[in-house]
C-alpha cells in the first residue's frame, strides 16, 4: 500500500463528501420541488437547498457547517493492514480540518474542550470488514448532530403507540419518530430503519440503510412495500421542508431487518437530514482510486 | 419582502408576523450552547446584544491574511437553548433569534413580553448563508469555547428567512405540529 496515495484519495473522499451532494439526493430534491406549489415556504426551502448545493459544489465549500460524525466503512481484502488504513484516515481527517472541509467538530465530553483536528477518542469512526475481493471499498457518511438528535429507538410492544411486534408496529414507530422530529432534523429527511438486533446493532443497521441509494428498493418484498407506503404516508403529514409545511417531509424510507432474540423487538430509526452526505470509493491494493461508488 | 436591519427596533420587530418572509441585513452575533449556558449562569459578554439578533450558528471559519473568512454558516437547532433563551431576551434586550426548528413556550412568552421575533433559516444552506456574510467583524471566546461555540460578530447582507414566532404569540411551528398530528389521526 502506498501511504501517500492512500492519504490523497481519502482526503479527496472527505472533500467531496463535504462539498458535493450525491446526484441521487439532488435528483430527489428536484422531484420534490415539482410537488410544491409556488409561493409556499416549502418551495422556497427547496429552492434554497438546491441553490446551496450548487454554490457548495462550484465553490468547493462544505454543504453544512455541521460536518458531522465521520463514519468510515471499509471492506478490505485478506491480509490488508487496517492499522495503516486507520493512520492514513486520521491524517486525511486532520488535513481536511485544517483546510476547512471539516469544522473543528469534536468536543471532549468531560472537559468541554474542542479538538483542533477531529482526532479524538471515538473519532473518526472506522469500521473494517473483510471482503472477498482484492480491492478496498471505503464509504464515508457525514451525519450532523441535528438529525442524530431526533433519531429514536423503540422496544416493542409499545403500549403508548399501540405498536405490536409486527410490521404494523414498525410503521407506528416510524410515523411517531417523524412526527416528533417535525422539521428539527432538517426535513425532508431520509429515514433509515433497523428492525431487530440488539440496541447497538439495530441502531447501526438503521444507519447503514442510509448508505443505500435513494432509488434502490429493498430486496425483501414486505419491506419494499412498507418503504413505499411509509414514504407516501409521511409526505401526507404536511410537516414539509424544515417543518414549515408542505408535501415533502421525507425523500425516502430505507428499511432493513436483522434477526432478534425471542424476548426483544427493537425498531431503530436513524433520521438523516436532506443533506445526505455520503460518498464511496473503490481503491486498488496500492490505494489508487479505481472508481467512485456513488 | 420586508427587510430588517440592525439595530432592530421594537416597532420593526412587532411589525412582522409569523409566516412572513424577511430579509436580514447588518450586524448579528452568533452564539450557541456554550454561550447561552455561560450567560444563563451569570457570565457577561464583551459586546452589547441590545436590539441585536442572536444567530444560533457554529460556523466553519478559516484564517486568511490575518482575518477570518467564513466558509459555512447555516443555523443550528435552537431548541437546545430553551432553558436560557427567555432570560437572555429579557436581560440583554435581544430583539431577534435566528436559527432553525423554533423554540418553546418560555421563549414564545418572552418574545411577546419584550418584543422579539424568531427568524427561521433553511437548515443546511450553509454555503448560501455564508455568501450573505460580508464581513467577519470580531470573535470572542474563541479559545475558551472553540470555533463552533465562539461568539462571532458577523455583518450580513440580504439573508432571507421566515418569521416563525412573532411578538404577538403567532407561532408557525405550533400550527404545523397541530396540523400534522391531525393528519395522522385522520
Amino acid at each position: 500500500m502506498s501511504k501517500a496515495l492512500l492519504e490523497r484519495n481519502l482526503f479527496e473522499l472527505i472533500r467531496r463528501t463535504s462539498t458535493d451532494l450525491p446526484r441521487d439526493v439532488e435528483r430527489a430534491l428536484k422531484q420534490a420541488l415539482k410537488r410544491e406549489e409556488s409561493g409556499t415556504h416549502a418551495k422556497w426551502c427547496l429552492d434554497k437547498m438546491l441553490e446551496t448545493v450548487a454554490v457548495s459544489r462550484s465553490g468547493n465549500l462544505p454543504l453544512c457547517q455541521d460536518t458531522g460524525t465521520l463514519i468510515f466503512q471499509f471492506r478490505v481484502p485478506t491480509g490488508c493492514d487496517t492499522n495503516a488504513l486507520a493512520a492514513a484516515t486520521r491524517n486525511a481527517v486532520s488535513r481536511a480540518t485544517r483546510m476547512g472541509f471539516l469544522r473543528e467538530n469534536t468536543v471532549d465530553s468531560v472537559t468541554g474542550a474542542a479538538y483542533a483536528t477531529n482526532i479524538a477518542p471515538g473519532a473518526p469512526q472506522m469500521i473494517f470488514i473483510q471482503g472477498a475481493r482484492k480491492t478496498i471499498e471505503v464509504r464515508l457518511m457525514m451525519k450532523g448532530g441535528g438529525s442524530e438528535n431526533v433519531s429514536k429507538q423503540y422496544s416493542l410492544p409499545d403500549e403508548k403507540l399501540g405498536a405490536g411486534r409486527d410490521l404494523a408496529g414498525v410503521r407506528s414507530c416510524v410515523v411517531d419518530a417523524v412526527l416528533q422530529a417535525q422539521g428539527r432534523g432538517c426535513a425532508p429527511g431520509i429515514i433509515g430503519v433497523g428492525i431487530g438486533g440488539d440496541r447497538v446493532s439495530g441502531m447501526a443497521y438503521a444507519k447503514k440503510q442510509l448508505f443505500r441509494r435513494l432509488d434502490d428498493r429493498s430486496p425483501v418484498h414486505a419491506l419494499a412495500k412498507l418503504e413505499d407506503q411509509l414514504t407516501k404516508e409521511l409526505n401526507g403529514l404536511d410537516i414539509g421542508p424544515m417543518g414549515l409545511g408542505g408535501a415533502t417531509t421525507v425523500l425516502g424510507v430505507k428499511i432493513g431487518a436483522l434477526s432478534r432474540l425471542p424476548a426483544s423487538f427493537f425498531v431503530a430509526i436513524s433520521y438523516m437530514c436532506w443533506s445526505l452526505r455520503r460518498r464511496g470509493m473503490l481503491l486498488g491494493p496500492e490505494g489508487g482510486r479505481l472508481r467512485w461508488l456513488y | 419582502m420586508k427587510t430588517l436591519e440592525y439595530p432592530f427596533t421594537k416597532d420593526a420587530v412587532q411589525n412582522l408576523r409569523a409566516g412572513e418572509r424577511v430579509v436580514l441585513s447588518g450586524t448579528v452575533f452568533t452564539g450557541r450552547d456554550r454561550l447561552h449556558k455561560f450567560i444563563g449562569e451569570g457570565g457577561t459578554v464583551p459586546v452589547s446584544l441590545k436590539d441585536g439578533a442572536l444567530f444560533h450558528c457554529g460556523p466553519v471559519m478559516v484564517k486568511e491574511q490575518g482575518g477570518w473568512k467564513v466558509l459555512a454558516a447555516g443555523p443550528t437547532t435552537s431548541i437546545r437553548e430553551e432553558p436560557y433563551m427567555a432570560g437572555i431576551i429579557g436581560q440583554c434586550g435581544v430583539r431577534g433569534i435566528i436559527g432553525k426548528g423554533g423554540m418553546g413556550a418560555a421563549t414564545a412568552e418572552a418574545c411577546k413580553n419584550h418584543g422579539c421575533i424568531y427568524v427561521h433559516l433553511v437548515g443546511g444552506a450553509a454555503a448560501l448563508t455564508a455568501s450573505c456574510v460580508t464581513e467577519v467583524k470580531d470573535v470572542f471566546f474563541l479559545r475558551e469555547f472553540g470555533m463552533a461555540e465562539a461568539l462571532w460578530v458577523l455583518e450580513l447582507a440580504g439573508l432571507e428567512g421566515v418569521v416563525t414566532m412573532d411578538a404577538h404569540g403567532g407561532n408557525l411551528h405550533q400550527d404545523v405540529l397541530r396540523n400534522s398530528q391531525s393528519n395522522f389521526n385522520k
Side-chain angles (χ1 to χ4, degrees), chain A residues 39-41 44 48-49 51-52 56 61 63-65 100 103 112 171 175 179 182 184 186 236-239 242-244 274, chain B residues 19 21 32 34 58-60 71-72 74-75 100 122-128 160-162 164 176-177 179-180 183-184:
Chain A
T40 57
H41 296 319
W44 174 77
K48 294 283 174 203
M49 287 166 186
E51 205 180 324
T52 207
S56 283
L61 296 164
L63 280 154
C64 183
Q65 76 288 339
R103 184 173 69 181
R171 171 209 157 253
V175 176
L179 271 173
Q182 292 288 303
R184 286 189 293 277
C186 280
L237 292 174
D238 202 11
I239 292 171
M242 295 316 296
L244 305 179
W274 67 265
Chain B
R21 247 167 269 159
R32 48 182 290 168
R34 292 285 298 270
V60 181
L71 298 183
K100 73 176 176 83
V122 177
L128 201 59
E160 287 180 35
V162 186
T164 54
V176 171
L177 178 66
N179 187 35
S180 60
N183 284 334
F184 171 58

Side-chain angles (χ1 to χ4, degrees), chain A residues 228-274:
Chain A
D228 292 345
Q229 182 200 326
L230 271 166
T231 301
K232 209 173 141 205
E233 186 174 357
L234 296 170
N235 283 336
L237 292 174
D238 202 11
I239 292 171
M242 295 316 296
L244 305 179
T248 315
T249 298
V250 298
L251 295 179
V253 179
K254 300 288 169 193
I255 309 174
L258 293 171
S259 63
R260 60 179 177 85
L261 294 181
S264 300
F265 196 125
F266 294 113
V267 180
I269 290 146
S270 184
Y271 194 112
M272 182 69 192
C273 62
W274 67 265

Side-chain angles (χ1 to χ4, degrees), chain A:
Chain A
M1 253 186 317
S2 155
K3 189 167 165 270
L5 194 58
L6 199 57
E7 269 184 39
R8 198 158 61 230
N9 277 321
L10 286 165
F11 170 81
E12 176 57 13
L13 176 65
I14 298 166
R15 185 204 66 76
R16 192 158 183 219
T17 308
S18 179
T19 61
D20 186 2
L21 194 74
R23 295 286 174 179
D24 60 323
V25 185
E26 192 178 8
R27 206 158 34 233
L29 288 169
K30 283 180 179 162
Q31 278 161 3
L33 192 58
K34 287 184 202 154
R35 282 198 296 268
E36 306 290 355
E37 284 168 40
S38 65
T40 57
H41 296 319
K43 187 171 183 304
W44 174 77
C45 282
L46 289 166
D47 274 333
K48 294 283 174 203
M49 287 166 186
L50 286 162
E51 205 180 324
T52 207
V53 166
V55 171
S56 283
R57 188 177 284 139
S58 64
N60 203 19
L61 296 164
L63 280 154
C64 183
Q65 76 288 339
D66 186 352
T67 52
T69 300
L70 306 176
I71 307 164
F72 288 91
Q73 294 198 349
F74 291 90
R75 189 176 290 272
V76 301
T78 310
C80 175
D81 182 357
T82 56
N83 285 333
L85 270 181
T89 304
R90 287 191 201 97
N91 287 344
V93 166
S94 298
R95 190 173 150 220
T97 308
R98 281 196 305 274
M99 291 182 68
F101 293 112
L102 299 175
R103 184 173 69 181
E104 285 178 18
N105 213 29
T106 309
V107 178
D108 187 293
S109 296
V110 179
T111 65
Y115 288 90
T117 58
N118 287 312
I119 308 299
Q125 288 183 21
M126 289 177 272
I127 301 156
F128 297 96
I129 301 165
Q130 194 183 303
R133 300 208 178 107
K134 288 200 163 56
T135 48
I136 301 167
E137 193 185 284
V138 50
R139 288 169 204 264
L140 166 63
M141 192 186 327
M142 296 171 44
K143 190 168 187 306
S147 69
E148 189 69 3
N149 288 349
V150 298
S151 295
K152 293 242 175 300
Q153 192 173 47
Y154 299 83
S155 174
L156 297 186
D158 185 310
E159 221 173 327
K160 218 173 98 212
L161 292 182
R165 297 181 140 201
D166 49 28
L167 290 185
V170 172
R171 171 209 157 253
S172 299
C173 297
V174 176
V175 176
D176 182 67
V178 171
L179 271 173
Q180 282 195 53
Q182 292 288 303
R184 286 189 293 277
C186 280
I190 298 96
I191 315 298
V193 182
I195 307 172
D198 66 6
R199 286 202 184 266
V200 175
S201 65
M203 201 74 225
Y205 205 59
K207 211 172 258 190
K208 200 172 171 187
Q209 303 307 310
L210 301 170
F211 278 108
R212 288 169 51 191
R213 284 174 54 106
L214 286 185
D215 50 10
D216 83 347
R217 279 175 70 80
S218 168
V220 182
H221 177 68
L223 297 184
K225 224 174 98 183
L226 187 57
E227 288 175 356
D228 292 345
Q229 182 200 326
L230 271 166
T231 301
K232 209 173 141 205
E233 186 174 357
L234 296 170
N235 283 336
L237 292 174
D238 202 11
I239 292 171
M242 295 316 296
L244 305 179
T248 315
T249 298
V250 298
L251 295 179
V253 179
K254 300 288 169 193
I255 309 174
L258 293 171
S259 63
R260 60 179 177 85
L261 294 181
S264 300
F265 196 125
F266 294 113
V267 180
I269 290 146
S270 184
Y271 194 112
M272 182 69 192
C273 62
W274 67 265
S275 191
L276 170 49
R277 285 154 290 165
R278 53 131 160 77
R279 290 274 175 188
M281 259 184 194
L282 196 66
L283 303 172
E286 287 305 306
R289 187 168 84 228
L290 302 176
R291 65 178 171 90
W292 288 94
L293 294 174
Y294 294 98

